[in-house]
Amino acid sequence: MQSRQAVHIIASEWRWVIIVASGLILLAFAPLLWMALTGTSDWQFMGALHNYLDGATYLSKIVQGERGIWLTFFQHTPENYPGAFMQAIYPLLGHVSRIMSVPPMVIFHVARVFAALFMYISLYQLGAAVWTKIRARRVFFIIASLGSGLGWLFMPVFQDVSFPDITVPEAYPLYSTFVNVHFPLTIACLALLVGYFIMAFRPGADQDPSLDRAVPVMAILSVALAILYPHALVPFGGALAVFALFDWRDHRRLSPRLVRYLLALGLPALPIAVYYALIVTYNPGFAEWNRQNVNPAPAPLMLLIGLGLPLLIGIPGIIRGLLRFERDGDRLVVLWLIAMLIVMYLPTGAGRRCSVGMMLPIAYFATRAVEDVWISRISRRVRSYVFALVIPLIAVSQIFVLFLPVTLPALSGDPGTALGVFLEHDYYVAYQWVNEHSSSSDVVLASPVVSAWIPGWAETRVVYGHPFETLNAAVKRQQVLDWYAGTGDCTAILDEYNVRYVLYGVEEAKFGAAPCRDQLNVVAEIGGVTVYAR
C-alpha cells in the first residue's frame, strides 16, 4: 500500500526539471565553451574560472588521488606532515581519473555536471515535499536555483565587492555550480534532509510507518554532509535541537520518530566530527590550516543586499512562519534560517561557511508569499509578464559573476586581466618540464600566482601558493617576494625549504630582477620562462 505522505511527481514534472536543469548546467559551462571556441592566443586557461586559488587546490588533491593516495595533504606548502581524511571527494575523483584514464581537470568538470544535476533534482524533490501544486513547486525551484541579491547593483555605490551574492557561492545553488563539486552536493543533501523532516511531521504522518524507511537514507546523507561540508550540520543540527524542545513543550514528550530522525542525523556524523576535531588540534599541518582559514560573515547590511529580491518577496512568508510556527514545515525552516544567522555571526572565524544553502529557506518563504499573498494581487493577464521580469532580476548577480572572468579579457583583449584564471602559455610548458624532471616531494620557488597551479600541473610542492594551505602563509609569501626583489638572503629561503627549482618569467619579473638567480644553474629556457636549479 502506498504511503499517503509519499511525494508524487509525475513524468511531465521530471521532464521539466531535467530540461531546466540541463539549461542551467549549460549556462554554467557557457564561459568554458566560449573560450574553447574563441581561443586565448598565447595564454593558457588553467582550469578554474571562479576562485582560481581554491580551484588549484582541488586539482592538486585530484592529482594526489590519481597517484593512489587517499589521505589529503597540502602540496601548496613545502613542509612534510601526516595526511588526513579531509576533503575526500577530490582524492576520490583522482582515483576515478586513474581508473577511467581521464585527465584530472576533465574529471573535475564532469563531476561538476553530475553534482549540479543531482542538486537540481534534490531542490525539486524538496519543493514537491512541501507543495502539491505544480506551480508552487516550480516557483520554489526557480527561486532556489536562480535567486541571488543586488550586489551587482550596489557594488559601484559602496565601492565594495564583499556582497555574499558576489563572493559566497555556497549560499546560492546556481553560483555553487560555478566553483566546485562539493558545494552543490552539500546543498543537495541539505535539500533532501529538509524534505524528509517536513514530510515526517505534517498532519497525519505520525500514523504512517513507511516514513521510518527514510532513517537509513538520512544516516547516509548525514555522513555525506560530514565528509563534504561539516559546517552545514551545525546550523541545521541546532535548528533541529530547538525544534525538539518545542515539540517537547507542545506534547510533553518527544515522538519516537523525531528521536529516530535526530539519532539518524547526529550519530553517524559524530565520529567524523570527533576525528576532524582531533586532526585540526593535533596534526600540525591541519592545525595551521585551520588557524589561517578564517572566513568571516558579511556585514549584516551586505547580507540583506546579497539576499535581494528573494528576501523582499519572502517577507510575508517569514512573518507568517513566525506567527503560525507550524510544526509541519514553517517551524523547522524558520529555526534553520535563524540558526544560520546566529552561527554565522558567532566569533568562530567560520561565519560564511555556515551560510551554505541559505537560499533554500529564503526560497521556501518566498514561495509561501507568492502563493499566499502576491499572486492573488497580480492580474492573470500580467502574471506571465511579471514572472518574465522578476526571474532575470533575481539571477543578475549570478550571471554577472559567471561571465566576469571571460568578459574582462574579451573587452580588453588581454587575458592577463584575469590573471590566475589564465597564465602565459610558457608557464604551462614549464610545468610540463618540471613534472618530467621532479618528484612530488620536490619544492619549486615561483611567484604566488604561478605557484598556485604548480601542485596541480607540475605535481610538486611550492614555497607559497595559497593563503590557507601554505603553512605560515603570510611569512612565506613575503619571503618569496623579498627573494625576487633581491632584498632577502639569497640562500636562506632555498636552504630552509630545500628548494630544487626556481622559475623566473614575466610574473616573477613584476616583483624584481631576482639578482640571486645568478648563483643558480639554468636547466631549461622555455620562451619567456627560465628554470633554474641549485
Side-chain angles (χ1 to χ4, degrees):
M1 182 176 178
Q2 192 174 37
S3 168
R4 292 178 299 167
Q5 307 298 328
V7 174
H8 301 287
I9 304 176
I10 61 177
S12 62
E13 290 181 80
W14 282 128
R15 283 195 296 271
W16 182 87
V17 172
I18 296 301
I19 290 170
V20 175
S22 299
L24 293 176
I25 293 169
L26 285 174
L27 175 66
F29 279 83
L32 294 178
L33 297 175
W34 183 0
M35 287 189 302
L37 293 174
T38 60
T40 53
S41 61
D42 295 330
W43 292 79
Q44 175 70 37
F45 170 60
M46 300 311 300
L49 273 175
H50 302 88
N51 192 357
Y52 79 87
L53 283 171
D54 285 352
T57 70
Y58 305 144
L59 178 61
S60 72
K61 294 175 179 64
I62 294 173
V63 167
Q64 289 176 28
E66 189 187 30
R67 296 203 305 264
I69 297 170
W70 280 105
L71 298 182
T72 296
F73 53 89
F74 301 133
Q75 284 286 88
H76 285 79
T77 195
E79 294 89 352
N80 287 306
Y81 58 89
F85 188 73
M86 302 271 279
Q87 301 178 353
I89 184 67
Y90 296 105
L92 173 61
L93 290 177
H95 287 272
V96 175
S97 172
R98 183 186 72 254
I99 293 169
M100 298 183 66
S101 298
V102 176
M105 185 54 67
V106 174
I107 207 72
F108 172 70
H109 290 298
V110 170
R112 281 178 55 208
V113 171
F114 285 101
L117 183 59
F118 178 49
M119 181 192 71
Y120 290 128
I121 290 172
S122 301
L123 290 178
Y124 196 83
Q125 180 75 20
L126 172 57
V130 180
W131 291 279
T132 56
K133 284 184 180 179
I134 293 178
R135 181 185 67 195
R137 295 174 176 184
R138 290 180 176 178
V139 168
F140 171 79
F141 179 87
I142 292 296
I143 296 176
S145 300
L146 296 179
S148 61
L150 299 171
W152 62 275
L153 182 62
F154 283 86
M155 273 197 312
V157 177
F158 285 84
Q159 295 293 300
D160 194 335
V161 297
S162 58
F163 298 96
D165 53 325
I166 305 296
T167 60
V168 187
E170 55 264 52
Y172 305 88
L174 177 60
Y175 190 179
S176 75
T177 67
F178 302 165
V179 293
N180 59 35
V181 178
H182 66 283
F183 284 173
L185 288 179
T186 298
I187 293 172
C189 293
L190 283 171
L192 293 174
L193 281 171
V194 174
Y196 281 128
F197 271 96
I198 288 175
M199 287 190 295
F201 301 106
R202 62 172 42 133
D206 290 339
Q207 280 69 50
D208 189 348
S210 67
L211 289 173
D212 290 331
R213 298 172 191 163
V215 170
V217 180
M218 294 178 69
I220 293 170
L221 292 172
S222 173
V223 171
L225 277 176
I227 293 173
L228 289 167
Y229 206 86
H231 295 88
L233 286 168
V234 177
F236 189 62
L240 287 171
V242 178
F243 182 92
L245 290 176
F246 277 103
D247 211 56
W248 177 274
R249 182 202 66 178
D250 294 342
H251 302 95
R252 297 301 174 186
R253 67 181 182 87
L254 290 179
S255 72
R257 174 171 294 148
L258 179 56
V259 172
R260 286 193 290 271
Y261 274 35
L262 291 175
L263 291 176
L265 183 72
L267 286 183
L270 183 60
I272 301 173
V274 171
Y275 172 76
Y276 286 164
L278 293 173
I279 288 296
V280 300
T281 301
Y282 297 107
N283 184 307
F286 284 90
E288 177 65 8
W289 164 76
N290 188 57
R291 183 191 70 80
Q292 296 181 139
N293 198 0
V294 176
N295 289 271
L301 177 60
M302 297 290 192
L303 179 63
L304 291 175
I305 293 172
L307 296 174
L309 282 178
L311 177 61
L312 290 175
I313 294 169
I315 287 175
I318 295 174
I319 295 172
R320 174 194 184 277
L322 288 168
L323 293 177
R324 298 190 181 183
F325 211 52
E326 295 165 327
R327 184 174 183 250
D328 60 322
D330 285 0
R331 180 181 298 180
L332 175 59
V333 182
V334 164
L335 291 173
W336 185 28
L337 182 58
I338 293 173
M340 276 190 193
L341 294 172
I342 291 173
V343 176
M344 281 174 63
Y345 291 99
L346 289 177
T348 61
R352 61 168 273 186
R353 294 195 197 94
C354 296
S355 68
V356 60
M358 180 170 276
M359 189 48 63
L360 271 62
I362 297 297
Y364 172 93
F365 290 118
T367 306
R368 285 280 196 212
V370 168
E371 289 296 310
D372 297 342
V373 178
W374 300 122
I375 205 162
S376 63
R377 301 186 180 189
I378 303 172
S379 168
R380 289 180 179 273
R381 291 179 298 175
V382 299
R383 281 179 190 173
S384 58
Y385 299 105
V386 172
F387 290 147
L389 175 64
V390 170
I391 290 172
L393 282 178
I394 66 173
V396 169
S397 274
Q398 301 193 74
I399 303 303
F400 170 80
V401 169
L402 172 62
F403 286 99
L404 185 63
V406 293
T407 301
L408 287 177
L411 292 175
S412 66
D414 179 13
T417 55
L419 192 63
V421 174
F422 301 94
L423 280 180
E424 293 86 349
H425 190 265
D426 291 339
Y427 282 107
Y428 171 69
V429 181
Y431 290 162
Q432 293 177 314
W433 187 94
V434 171
N435 188 19
E436 293 169 0
H437 295 83
S438 63
S439 69
S440 61
S441 60
D442 288 332
V443 179
V444 177
L445 176 65
S447 65
V449 69
V450 174
S451 295
W453 289 105
I454 287 176
W457 285 107
E459 302 184 23
T460 63
R461 297 175 183 260
V462 293
V463 176
Y464 171 84
H466 194 273
F468 302 149
E469 297 195 4
T470 300
L471 308 189
N472 203 6
V475 170
K476 288 192 177 75
R477 186 178 192 279
Q478 191 58 51
Q479 287 178 308
V480 170
L481 300 187
D482 289 344
W483 193 89
Y484 281 105
T487 58
D489 187 303
C490 281
T491 59
I493 185 175
L494 304 182
D495 292 338
E496 182 178 0
Y497 303 122
N498 194 26
V499 174
R500 181 176 182 185
Y501 293 118
V502 176
L503 302 187
Y504 189 83
V506 64
E507 297 306 324
E508 288 72 28
K510 293 177 181 177
F511 300 107
C516 294
R517 60 196 169 107
D518 293 340
Q519 302 177 21
L520 304 175
N521 301 314
V522 176
V523 291
E525 293 190 61
I526 304 164
V529 178
T530 304
V531 182
Y532 296 87
R534 299 181 65 189

